[in-house]
């Protein structure tokens, strides 16, 4: 997750206050000191931190609280509201940020050189491609050598059409030609990458105005380096004063110490933050919504975000068939390959797990993501070397035949040990996935998992007991035992909302 250290410090402070038998002024002061220290270490402005401290103290008047009220939850809610106030940058007109299907949306990207603008253009295009849009990329960066080659390489990787020129030097002409071409082609998200500079200079702003005048963008997105911390305030303000910035994307947010400072600084300019860049890969772009982000920061998860990602990865028409197959215990290697493909489509596992309520980011550090994804890709390679009989069987003994193992190893270019590891993984997933799904009473369609119908309390307890028995011990421990599993299921019912 973004800001792992800050999130760990905040959840630790909340856990510490939860252990106190009596919460008085002294305990509250110690708690606020922990929270403020964590925010200052994340480079959040001192005035904003003091504002949060005073805001929580004003909201939580311990002497006036009625007896019997849960003080911990009141304090937790106050911290949540104050953090939302610091990070909130909701636009005055939310409709301006909406990308509409079926009509051409021209999006112009601006920013300083070195902020990751060109890569972010490609990530943004890939994000909307996965959502079913038809994106296209236009390179109007004529200032930086190699900008067009970089964009062309990224576009080819993600199979997104692109336009640019090695000969034309006028960015306004290139951008207009590209936009007109893709409009005729029926593209609905046309992304224009403009030139950056090493600093905020008049020539950059003048060029931006010329391009904007030529293509008349529906949305201007400012890409900013998140590692600069509080200095983001001046940058965001300068760009907002020069062009009509509709949204901001903060890059390099994967674990950088100054990320909190950049987030709060941009929010202070009232420039809406729309995405966060969380890594170098194309799928490492997270949409930003203040309340859901703060929930994750406080260890409360983001169940709606998690369900949205799962629905994006598994087509709606395939969900009933997949769940039914697993439920009946008919999971074959073909189904397992589809599951692995979906997991890779979901993005980094640490990012997914941070959306679970109560999940501690220390359990699954970000460094493990790459190794996990490489392991899944190796497994997929082995599965793709199987014949139809092997893909559709549920007989483990047949798959373990030495001659088959040797042939699969040779055909996939992997070792026999890796083939056997895949078969062990298959046995593991078949057992636990089937047991867990039966215990969870999941609907046939994942759309119905947003808490519209509350579960009967007796069924809830039965499900928790069955899921506790079905889950591997290490996973159950990571979720906080049976009580953590109960909190997770309740949060999934309520859509992962904060108390109060």
């Amino acid at each position: 997750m973004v800001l792992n250290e800050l999130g760990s410090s905040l959840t630790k402070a909340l856990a510490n206050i939860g252990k106190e038998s009596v919460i008085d002024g002294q305990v509250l002061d110690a708690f606020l000191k922990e929270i403020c220290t964590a925010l200052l270490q994340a480079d959040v402005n001192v005035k904003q931190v003091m504002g949060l401290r005073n805001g929580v103290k004003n909201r939580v008047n311990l002497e006036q609280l009625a007896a019997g009220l849960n003080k911990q939850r009141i304090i937790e809610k106050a911290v949540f509201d104050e953090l939302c106030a610091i990070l909130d940058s909701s636009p005055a007109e939310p409709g301006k940020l909406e990308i509409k299907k079926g009509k051409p949306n021209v999006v112009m990207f601006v920013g300083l050189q070195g902020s990751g603008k060109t890569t972010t253009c490609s990530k943004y295009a890939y994000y909307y491609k996965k959502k079913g849009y038809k994106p296209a990329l236009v390179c109007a960066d004529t200032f930086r050598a190699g900008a067009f080659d970089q964009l062309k390489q990224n576009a080819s990787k993600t199979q997104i059409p692109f336009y640019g020129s090695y000969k034309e030097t006028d960015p306004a002409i290139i951008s207009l030609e590209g936009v007109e071409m893709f409009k005729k082609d029926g593209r609905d998200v046309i992304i224009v990458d403009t030139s950056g500079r090493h600093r905020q200079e008049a020539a950059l702003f003048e060029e931006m105005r010329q391009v904007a005048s030529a293509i008349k963008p529906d949305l201007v997105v400012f890409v900013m380096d998140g590692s600069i911390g509080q200095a983001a305030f001046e940058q965001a303000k300068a760009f907002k004063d020069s062009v009509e910035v509709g949204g901001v994307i903060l890059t390099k947010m994967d674990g950088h110490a100054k990320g909190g400072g950049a987030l709060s600084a941009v929010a202070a300019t009232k420039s809406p933050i729309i995405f966060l860049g969380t890594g170098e890969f194309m799928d490492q772009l997270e949409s930003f919504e203040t309340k859901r982000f703060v929930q994750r920061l406080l260890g409360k998860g983001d169940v709606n975000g998690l369900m949205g990602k799962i629905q994006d990865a598994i087509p709606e028409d395939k969900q009933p068939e997949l769940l039914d197959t697993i439920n009946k215990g008919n999971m074959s290697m073909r189904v397992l390959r589809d599951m692995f493909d979906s997991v890779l489509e979901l993005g980094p596992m640490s990012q997914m797990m941070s959306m679970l309520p109560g999940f501690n980011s220390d359990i699954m550090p970000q460094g493990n993501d790459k190794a996990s994804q490489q392991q899944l890709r190796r497994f997929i390679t082995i599965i793709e070397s199987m014949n139809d009989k092997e893909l559709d069987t549920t007989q483990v003994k047949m798959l373990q035949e030495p001659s088959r193992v040797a042939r699969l190893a040779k055909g996939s270019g992997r070792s026999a040990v890796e083939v056997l590891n895949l078969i062990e993984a298959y046995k593991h997933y078949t057992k636990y996935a089937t047991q867990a799904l039966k215990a969870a009473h999941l609907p046939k369609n994942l759309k119905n998992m947003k808490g519209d119908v509350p579960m009967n309390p007796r069924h809830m307890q039965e499900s928790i007991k069955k899921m506790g028995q079905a889950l591997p011990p290490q996973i159950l421990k990571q979720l906080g035992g049976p009580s953590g599993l109960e909190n997770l299921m309740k949060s999934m019912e309520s859509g992962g909302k904060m108390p109060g």
Side-chain angles (χ1 to χ4, degrees), residues 84-220:
C84 284
I86 286 178
L87 297 177
D88 187 36
S89 57
S90 302
E93 300 174 63
K96 276 195 169 184
L97 296 177
E98 192 182 344
I99 302 292
K100 293 169 185 169
K101 264 187 183 174
K103 69 172 281 288
N105 300 270
V106 180
V107 185
M108 176 175 150
F109 273 62
V110 300
L112 298 186
Q113 204 171 47
S115 61
K117 180 167 48 61
T118 301
T119 301
T120 304
C121 284
S122 305
K123 288 183 180 182
Y124 186 85
Y126 183 62
Y127 174 87
Y128 279 104
K129 183 183 177 183
K130 289 199 295 180
K131 296 276 182 188
Y133 289 80
K134 295 189 289 182
L137 290 158
V138 178
C139 180
D141 184 352
T142 57
F143 181 77
R144 180 170 66 91
F148 181 34
D149 289 326
Q150 184 188 349
L151 184 129
K152 187 161 64 168
Q153 187 180 20
N154 288 340
S156 301
K157 259 190 225 170
T158 50
Q159 297 182 319
I160 293 166
F162 59 90
Y163 179 84
S165 174
Y166 288 112
K167 294 177 182 177
E168 181 59 63
T169 56
D170 188 336
I173 291 174
I174 294 173
S175 54
L176 185 59
E177 287 176 351
V179 168
E180 291 301 321
M181 184 183 88
F182 287 127
K183 277 184 179 179
K184 287 175 187 171
D185 195 33
R187 295 282 150 182
D188 50 13
V189 185
I190 303 166
I191 299 147
V192 180
D193 179 23
T194 62
S195 301
R197 295 287 190 279
H198 290 297
R199 60 186 182 279
Q200 292 144 228
E201 52 187 40
L204 170 63
F205 292 128
E206 181 54 37
E207 186 180 298
M208 284 187 329
R209 282 190 282 268
Q210 286 173 6
V211 173
S213 176
I215 63 172
K216 296 178 174 51
D218 299 288
L219 176 65
V220 178

Side-chain angles (χ1 to χ4, degrees), residues 22-314:
V22 177
I23 296 177
D24 53 19
Q26 192 175 348
V27 170
L28 179 61
D29 285 340
F31 166 75
L32 286 173
K33 186 180 179 183
E34 269 190 88
I35 295 285
C36 293
T37 301
L39 290 169
L40 289 170
Q41 286 173 345
D43 200 40
V44 177
N45 185 278
V46 175
K47 286 182 181 177
Q48 290 176 311
V49 174
M50 292 311 296
L52 176 138
R53 186 181 186 282
N54 295 335
V56 172
K57 294 214 78 164
N58 290 337
R59 285 169 185 262
V60 185
N61 193 323
L62 294 172
E63 293 174 6
Q64 293 179 8
L65 285 178
L69 287 177
N70 188 324
K71 292 178 181 177
Q72 183 201 344
R73 297 193 87 178
I74 291 167
I75 293 168
E76 197 174 283
K77 183 68 167 63
V79 171
F80 173 79
D81 289 342
E82 290 296 326
L83 278 172
C84 284
I86 286 178
L87 297 177
D88 187 36
S89 57
S90 302
E93 300 174 63
K96 276 195 169 184
L97 296 177
E98 192 182 344
I99 302 292
K100 293 169 185 169
K101 264 187 183 174
K103 69 172 281 288
N105 300 270
V106 180
V107 185
M108 176 175 150
F109 273 62
V110 300
L112 298 186
Q113 204 171 47
S115 61
K117 180 167 48 61
T118 301
T119 301
T120 304
C121 284
S122 305
K123 288 183 180 182
Y124 186 85
Y126 183 62
Y127 174 87
Y128 279 104
K129 183 183 177 183
K130 289 199 295 180
K131 296 276 182 188
Y133 289 80
K134 295 189 289 182
L137 290 158
V138 178
C139 180
D141 184 352
T142 57
F143 181 77
R144 180 170 66 91
F148 181 34
D149 289 326
Q150 184 188 349
L151 184 129
K152 187 161 64 168
Q153 187 180 20
N154 288 340
S156 301
K157 259 190 225 170
T158 50
Q159 297 182 319
I160 293 166
F162 59 90
Y163 179 84
S165 174
Y166 288 112
K167 294 177 182 177
E168 181 59 63
T169 56
D170 188 336
I173 291 174
I174 294 173
S175 54
L176 185 59
E177 287 176 351
V179 168
E180 291 301 321
M181 184 183 88
F182 287 127
K183 277 184 179 179
K184 287 175 187 171
D185 195 33
R187 295 282 150 182
D188 50 13
V189 185
I190 303 166
I191 299 147
V192 180
D193 179 23
T194 62
S195 301
R197 295 287 190 279
H198 290 297
R199 60 186 182 279
Q200 292 144 228
E201 52 187 40
L204 170 63
F205 292 128
E206 181 54 37
E207 186 180 298
M208 284 187 329
R209 282 190 282 268
Q210 286 173 6
V211 173
S213 176
I215 63 172
K216 296 178 174 51
D218 299 288
L219 176 65
V220 178
V221 175
F222 174 40
V223 181
M224 186 187 304
D225 184 344
S227 65
I228 64 173
Q230 290 181 42
F233 179 85
E234 293 301 329
Q235 265 195 36
K237 192 171 181 305
F239 273 83
K240 194 179 179 187
D241 291 345
S242 297
V243 287
E244 193 182 343
V245 171
V248 175
I249 297 179
L250 282 167
T251 62
K252 306 177 188 177
M253 293 294 288
D254 39 328
H256 203 282
K258 291 188 175 184
L263 276 169
S264 56
V266 174
T269 69
K270 293 300 169 191
S271 300
I273 301 165
I274 53 174
F275 286 100
L276 302 178
T278 58
E280 62 192 87
F281 298 109
M282 285 297 129
D283 56 6
Q284 291 179 315
L285 187 72
E286 287 184 35
S287 62
F288 181 84
E289 199 276 308
T290 308
K291 288 186 177 180
R292 282 162 59 174
F293 180 81
V294 174
Q295 278 179 202
R296 287 173 64 189
L297 210 54
L298 296 177
K300 303 300 170 188
D302 176 12
V303 174
N304 281 348
L306 180 61
M307 289 301 108
K309 274 184 172 284
I310 292 171
Q311 285 171 40
D312 283 346
I314 307 171

Side-chain angles (χ1 to χ4, degrees), residues 168-461:
E168 181 59 63
T169 56
D170 188 336
I173 291 174
I174 294 173
S175 54
L176 185 59
E177 287 176 351
V179 168
E180 291 301 321
M181 184 183 88
F182 287 127
K183 277 184 179 179
K184 287 175 187 171
D185 195 33
R187 295 282 150 182
D188 50 13
V189 185
I190 303 166
I191 299 147
V192 180
D193 179 23
T194 62
S195 301
R197 295 287 190 279
H198 290 297
R199 60 186 182 279
Q200 292 144 228
E201 52 187 40
L204 170 63
F205 292 128
E206 181 54 37
E207 186 180 298
M208 284 187 329
R209 282 190 282 268
Q210 286 173 6
V211 173
S213 176
I215 63 172
K216 296 178 174 51
D218 299 288
L219 176 65
V220 178
V221 175
F222 174 40
V223 181
M224 186 187 304
D225 184 344
S227 65
I228 64 173
Q230 290 181 42
F233 179 85
E234 293 301 329
Q235 265 195 36
K237 192 171 181 305
F239 273 83
K240 194 179 179 187
D241 291 345
S242 297
V243 287
E244 193 182 343
V245 171
V248 175
I249 297 179
L250 282 167
T251 62
K252 306 177 188 177
M253 293 294 288
D254 39 328
H256 203 282
K258 291 188 175 184
L263 276 169
S264 56
V266 174
T269 69
K270 293 300 169 191
S271 300
I273 301 165
I274 53 174
F275 286 100
L276 302 178
T278 58
E280 62 192 87
F281 298 109
M282 285 297 129
D283 56 6
Q284 291 179 315
L285 187 72
E286 287 184 35
S287 62
F288 181 84
E289 199 276 308
T290 308
K291 288 186 177 180
R292 282 162 59 174
F293 180 81
V294 174
Q295 278 179 202
R296 287 173 64 189
L297 210 54
L298 296 177
K300 303 300 170 188
D302 176 12
V303 174
N304 281 348
L306 180 61
M307 289 301 108
K309 274 184 172 284
I310 292 171
Q311 285 171 40
D312 283 346
I314 307 171
E316 198 176 320
D317 58 337
K318 287 189 178 179
Q319 290 169 16
E321 184 188 342
L322 178 62
L323 293 176
D324 189 51
T325 301
I326 297 170
N327 238 330
K328 288 177 179 174
N330 294 334
M331 199 165 105
S332 63
M333 281 289 184
R334 199 185 293 276
V335 174
L336 186 65
R337 182 190 60 193
D338 289 343
M339 285 178 64
F340 285 163
D341 283 337
S342 296
V343 169
L344 289 173
E345 188 77 16
L346 289 170
M349 191 52 66
S350 62
Q351 180 181 320
M352 296 299 302
M353 295 299 281
S354 73
M355 292 179 169
L356 291 174
F359 185 82
N360 186 341
S361 58
D362 293 338
I363 293 168
M364 189 174 285
Q366 282 188 317
N368 293 345
D369 285 332
K370 202 168 182 179
S372 301
Q373 289 181 329
Q374 284 174 344
Q375 179 68 69
L376 288 185
R377 287 192 178 97
R378 283 195 286 267
F379 281 166
I380 289 169
T381 303
I382 296 169
I383 295 172
E384 285 177 345
S385 68
M386 293 181 176
N387 58 36
D388 286 340
K389 189 178 179 182
E390 290 158 348
L391 283 170
D392 295 320
T393 187
T394 55
Q395 301 297 315
V396 175
K397 281 186 179 178
M398 188 189 96
L399 294 169
Q400 288 175 326
E401 290 171 5
S403 59
R404 285 187 195 276
V405 171
R407 182 177 57 75
L408 290 171
K410 190 175 180 181
S412 62
R414 310 308 311 178
S415 68
V417 172
E418 285 177 295
V419 176
L420 291 171
N421 285 344
L422 167 64
I423 296 167
E424 281 303 309
Y426 166 71
K427 284 163 62 179
H428 173 89
Y429 285 121
T430 303
K431 177 185 174 184
Y432 287 121
T434 303
Q435 289 180 2
L437 272 184
K438 282 180 179 175
H441 299 296
L442 292 182
K444 292 286 183 188
N445 192 304
L446 294 172
K447 261 191 175 178
N448 301 324
M449 285 185 66
K450 293 203 176 183
D452 297 325
V453 182
M455 190 184 281
N456 178 299
R458 184 169 62 83
H459 287 164
M460 169 77 85
Q461 291 305 317

